[in-house]
Amino acid sequence: MQKKVAVAIMGLLIGAGGTSQAFAADAGAGKALYEKSCAGCHGADGKGNEKMATILGEKGLNVVGKDTTKKSDQQLLKTIAEGAGKMPAAKLTKEEQKQVLGYTRSLAK
């Protein structure tokens, strides 16, 4: 029984390592997409463009703050795909959306 648990834990650890490598690849690919499609409002550093926040009357432009980073990937992908508040839906493929999310998550570190 202990051997099965150890094998399961090892599998999770190995799987997590693979996920972080894939996540890093998405982050690299997402940088150019983020800069083109998102940085105008969310800022190059993800902390939000103050001028756009004033113009739009939006407070949620910081994508590296606790309110955003505590959300699940699925919640954020839905926001990217469908938009929220005054943020329009992204005109990106599902793969590009994942890449942008990966890059955005990397900004929060």
Side-chain angles (χ1 to χ4, degrees):
M1 181 70 142
Q2 288 178 342
K3 186 174 182 180
K4 287 182 182 180
V5 172
V7 169
I9 291 172
M10 189 60 120
L12 289 172
L13 292 173
I14 290 169
T19 301
S20 65
Q21 288 175 347
F23 186 72
D26 282 350
K31 182 177 181 182
L33 291 167
Y34 178 87
E35 289 173 348
K36 180 181 176 188
S37 302
C38 312
C41 292
H42 295 292
D45 60 0
K47 293 181 180 176
N49 177 333
E50 290 183 32
K51 289 180 183 177
M52 288 304 292
T54 301
I55 291 168
L56 296 172
E58 289 283 329
K59 297 179 183 176
L61 299 181
N62 182 341
V63 295
V64 296
K66 288 182 183 180
D67 287 344
T68 302
T69 58
K70 69 181 179 183
K71 292 182 180 179
S72 72
D73 287 354
Q74 291 306 315
Q75 288 173 306
L76 295 176
L77 286 169
K78 182 177 179 181
T79 300
I80 293 168
E82 298 176 6
K86 294 183 181 175
M87 179 181 142
K91 294 180 180 176
L92 302 171
T93 66
K94 288 194 180 292
E95 186 60 30
E96 289 171 332
Q97 292 169 14
K98 290 178 186 176
Q99 292 169 353
V100 167
L101 177 60
Y103 180 69
T104 303
R105 293 276 196 206
S106 77
L107 290 176
K109 293 181 179 180

